[in-house]
Amino acid sequence: ILVGDKARDYLPRDPKNVVSNFKRTMGTTETKKIESINSSKTPVELSAFVLKELKGFVHSGEDVDAAVITIPASFDTIQSKATEEAGIQAGFKDVILLQEPIAASLAYANKDNSEDLKNSQWIVYDLGGGTFDVALVKIIEGELNVVDHEGNNYFGGVDLDMLLLEKIIVPKIEQQGEFTDLLSEMKSATGRYNTEWYRLLHEAEKAKAELSSVQSTEVDVEIEDENGEEIELSITITRSEFETLIKEKISETTQMMKKILTRQSLQPKDLKFVLMVGGSTYIPFVRKHVEEVMGISVNTD
């Protein structure tokens, strides 16, 4: 069993035996079929493999028998229980669950002792790889609390990668060769181009990351069309193309923030900042959009 980057490297070569994004399905009855062992694994079992791997990172000789595992604020009791169970299966005797907005706020407060957060409230905007969470956090009687939250367990950075692949990369490939329905053939587990889906999804993620620091990037494609013609092309993607593509999705996240403010009868001036967490908050458009739409300064510390 390979976990992390080692597993990811196998994805384009052997997609039927590699699984990812199972955090989204924690607490559901959904399982992931794995061809090589001719059986399925639950999200709990898969998460336990990840936690076991992390346990192996401790090289001090200590026996690690307890863990604090962070979860989105939007996780319900069933999803939380499933996360706890994964910790137990991984061999931890004690498992403490901590909401991710609290974890982020603690990390920030401990890093920046100079800032007095006692009589303030702020929003944690957490756009991770597979899930989105936004939470109103406040210190009440010396304790950090999530006062209100919104979220989407089926939206994260991977969905932005898919948008790039589906809306920009695939149409440009189709212009160059003979394909009946390239996208379906890529996304279907039995499709002719299924391995290409995973390879190009990885390339799309790299392009997304590069566009945070440059104005344009290129994705190199080598693919054989249905007539057996070898197609080689370099697809240029600009930052403005990418921003147009993700605007609607990012707009949905600020709508969730507005809901919290409305429910809590708060004005932007009542909040200290929006604390940015998660890989996809490196995207300049995400930071700019949140700041402009909400009228609250973003904190990227």
Side-chain angles (χ1 to χ4, degrees):
I1 296 161
L2 301 176
V3 178
D5 289 339
K6 297 186 290 270
R8 191 198 184 121
D9 292 342
Y10 266 91
L11 196 52
R13 286 180 276 165
D14 195 7
K16 290 183 173 67
N17 288 309
V18 183
V19 288
S20 60
N21 291 323
F22 38 86
K23 178 177 175 176
R24 296 179 159 186
T25 52
M26 286 298 269
T28 70
T29 54
E30 200 176 305
T31 59
K32 301 269 188 177
K33 178 94 169 74
I34 296 157
E35 203 175 63
S36 60
I37 55 169
N38 195 28
S39 86
S40 296
K41 293 282 177 199
T42 66
V44 168
E45 289 172 311
L46 294 164
S47 297
F49 289 133
V50 174
L51 293 165
K52 266 185 203 155
E53 183 82 358
L54 288 171
K55 210 175 174 184
F57 288 0
V58 182
H59 299 301
S60 59
E62 291 171 272
D63 186 30
V64 184
D65 58 7
V68 176
I69 305 176
T70 67
I71 52 169
S74 50
F75 261 25
D76 59 23
T77 309
I78 297 166
Q79 291 164 310
S80 302
K81 276 268 173 235
T83 308
E84 208 171 331
E85 176 56 31
I88 301 298
Q89 280 190 26
F92 294 109
K93 291 191 188 77
D94 284 316
V95 175
I96 311 291
L97 299 181
L98 183 63
Q99 289 177 311
E100 279 154 14
I102 298 290
S105 297
L106 280 171
Y108 172 73
N110 288 335
K111 177 180 165 293
D112 192 356
N113 291 323
S114 60
E115 186 132 22
D116 182 26
L117 298 174
K118 281 191 186 68
N119 300 308
S120 57
Q121 52 195 338
W122 57 94
I123 280 182
V124 176
Y125 180 102
D126 185 352
L127 184 51
T131 56
F132 172 72
D133 220 17
V134 63
L136 175 65
V137 176
K138 192 175 187 179
I139 296 176
I140 301 165
E141 292 177 4
E143 207 174 89
L144 272 172
N145 284 280
V146 172
V147 180
D148 200 349
H149 64 82
E150 286 279 335
N152 182 353
N153 289 338
Y154 287 85
F155 174 59
V158 71
D159 299 282
L160 304 181
D161 307 339
M162 283 191 219
L163 271 178
L164 259 180
L165 184 47
E166 291 173 12
K167 304 293 183 192
I168 294 180
I169 298 170
V170 168
K172 287 188 179 176
I173 296 171
E174 286 179 315
Q175 287 166 10
Q176 302 295 319
E178 207 55 54
F179 301 97
T180 310
D181 188 351
L182 181 56
L183 194 56
S184 296
E185 287 290 319
M186 279 180 153
K187 290 176 92 168
S188 165
T190 55
R192 175 177 173 176
Y193 296 106
N194 186 235
T195 55
E196 283 301 312
W197 168 259
Y198 292 102
R199 193 183 71 74
L200 287 171
L201 195 58
H202 188 43
E203 291 301 314
E205 188 192 12
K206 284 201 297 197
K208 173 189 74 178
E210 281 168 17
L211 288 170
S212 288
S213 54
V214 296
Q215 290 299 324
S216 74
T217 187
E218 291 186 349
V219 173
D220 293 323
V221 179
E222 284 181 30
I223 194 168
E224 198 179 85
D225 76 0
E226 286 169 10
N227 296 336
E229 292 285 326
E230 193 65 45
I231 293 164
E232 286 184 25
L233 73 152
S234 191
I235 297 167
T236 300
I237 303 165
T238 66
R239 186 187 284 186
S240 63
E241 271 181 300
F242 177 58
E243 290 180 350
T244 303
L245 195 64
I246 67 170
K247 187 176 181 182
E248 193 180 323
K249 278 284 176 197
I250 303 307
S251 183
E252 285 171 20
T253 67
T254 46
Q255 288 308 315
M256 289 186 205
M257 293 167 78
K258 285 179 177 176
K259 272 188 197 171
I260 291 175
L261 264 63
T262 303
R263 274 203 300 265
Q264 299 296 324
S265 305
L266 293 170
Q267 296 297 319
K269 63 176 170 52
D270 299 325
L271 295 157
K272 198 166 184 70
F273 46 64
V274 177
L275 190 62
M276 296 302 233
V277 186
S280 289
T281 59
Y282 278 102
I283 298 170
F285 177 78
V286 172
R287 297 175 173 191
K288 192 170 120 223
H289 184 78
V290 168
E291 197 157 56
E292 284 177 2
V293 170
M294 299 307 297
I296 310 165
S297 66
V298 300
N299 182 336
T300 58
D301 287 354

